[in-house]
């Protein structure tokens, strides 16, 4: 199967010069987590901008200073196995498709799941591709704390647990962004300078005002925001069935439980696509 058979051609993108506010509006409106960046007035690909880029750089407004410039790309005539391998090797979820430097399409991990993997008869169990070190927190945890837990694990998802220690909901990076805003905070730093031993000297004071942007979350908890309509698989669920569940529900990650119903891992689209190149 070739890339041109599964790539999205009607894609959303942003231009440089441009600003983060406009990019975030597009991401929220179109419900996407990343955007190719092209040079203004052309389709020349110059970068990729993700929600994570925006989160990690709240002080920067210009897209050109936030976006990733070292872009991994593919051609419409490449095999989908090559694109899957590039995603895995570079730990990315999307690959812009270019011809002669011009943006012509986009392939995401979800595209590989929804248009290719679910059709493949791969009966290998989910436990072969799941990750086990996943962020979890009590469902009553405030969002600001939950967000820091997710960031500590360097993942884009967090699972909420009820009082019995069972999964009660799932939160993605997108959910956190929807419940936050960028605010400016000013801090004051005083410094004093004087001449030691000179009783006639005046101490001079300088005041330094530092303005820093950061994410501020609503007062909600995990339980207030998490998606509670969970799709769950077992360690023995096949790769093909996992891919089909993702396709049907338009999701990118599924919690994995053992035969006793205890949480043992998480299988993500970026994990499952390894089965394409294996």
């Amino acid at each position: 199967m070739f890339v041109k058979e599964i790539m999205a051609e009607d894609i959303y993108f942003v231009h440089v010069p441009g600003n983060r506010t406009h990019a975030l509006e597009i991401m929220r409106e179109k419900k996407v987590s990343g955007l190719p960046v092209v040079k203004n007035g052309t389709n020349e690909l110059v970068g990729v901008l993700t929600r994570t880029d925006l989160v990690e750089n709240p002080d920067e407004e210009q897209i050109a200073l936030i976006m990733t410039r070292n872009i991994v790309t593919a051609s419409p005539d490449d095999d989908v196995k090559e694109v899957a391998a590039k995603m895995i090797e570079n730990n990315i979820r999307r690959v812009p498709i270019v011809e002669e430097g011009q943006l012509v399409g986009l392939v995401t991990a979800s595209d590989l799941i929804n248009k290719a993997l679910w059709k493949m008869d791969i009966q290998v169990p989910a436990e072969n591709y799941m990750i086990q070190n996943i962020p979890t927190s009590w469902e009553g945890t405030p969002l600001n704390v939950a967000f820091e837990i997710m960031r500590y694990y360097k993942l884009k998802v967090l699972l909420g647990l009820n009082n019995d220690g069972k999964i009660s909901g799932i939160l993605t990076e997108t959910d956190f962004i929807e419940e936050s805003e960028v605010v400016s905070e000013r801090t004051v730093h005083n410094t004093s300078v004087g001449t030691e031993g000179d009783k006639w000297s005046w101490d001079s004071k300088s005041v330094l005002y530092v303005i820093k942007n950061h994410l501020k979350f609503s007062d909600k908890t995990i339980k207030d925001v998490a998606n509670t309509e969970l799709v769950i698989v077992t360690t023995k669920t096949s790769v093909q069935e996992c891919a089909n569940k993702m396709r049907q529900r338009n999701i990118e990650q599924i919690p994995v439980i053992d035969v006793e119903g205890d949480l043992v891992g998480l299988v993500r689209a970026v994990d499952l696509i390894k089965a394409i190149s294996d």
Side-chain angles (χ1 to χ4, degrees), residues 145-209:
V145 177
F147 181 71
E148 292 303 322
I149 293 173
M150 184 186 73
R151 290 183 67 188
Y152 176 80
Y153 280 80
K154 300 186 187 306
L155 293 175
K156 303 179 187 296
V157 62
L158 179 141
L159 300 179
L161 304 178
N162 60 23
N163 292 337
D164 296 322
K166 301 297 183 181
I167 310 170
S168 62
I170 187 169
L171 273 168
T172 66
E173 183 183 57
T174 299
D175 297 319
F176 281 106
I177 298 299
E178 292 297 329
E179 294 294 332
S180 68
E181 61 177 333
V182 176
V183 298
S184 296
E185 183 179 75
R186 186 177 73 169
T187 57
V188 180
H189 301 268
N190 294 314
T191 59
S192 298
V193 179
T195 305
E196 185 178 354
D198 184 355
K199 64 180 181 179
W200 297 106
S201 67
W202 293 89
D203 285 340
S204 62
K205 292 185 177 181
S206 59
V207 180
L208 177 64
Y209 295 96

Side-chain angles (χ1 to χ4, degrees), residues 109-172:
S110 290
D111 291 327
L112 290 174
I113 295 292
N114 298 338
K115 300 175 183 178
L117 186 58
W118 80 277
K119 300 177 182 179
M120 300 179 181
D121 185 22
I122 302 178
Q123 299 305 311
V124 179
E127 62 185 348
N128 286 30
Y129 294 98
M130 71 181 188
I131 59 172
Q132 295 175 288
N133 192 23
I134 53 177
T136 60
S137 187
W138 175 51
E139 62 185 11
T141 303
L143 287 184
N144 63 320
V145 177
F147 181 71
E148 292 303 322
I149 293 173
M150 184 186 73
R151 290 183 67 188
Y152 176 80
Y153 280 80
K154 300 186 187 306
L155 293 175
K156 303 179 187 296
V157 62
L158 179 141
L159 300 179
L161 304 178
N162 60 23
N163 292 337
D164 296 322
K166 301 297 183 181
I167 310 170
S168 62
I170 187 169
L171 273 168
T172 66

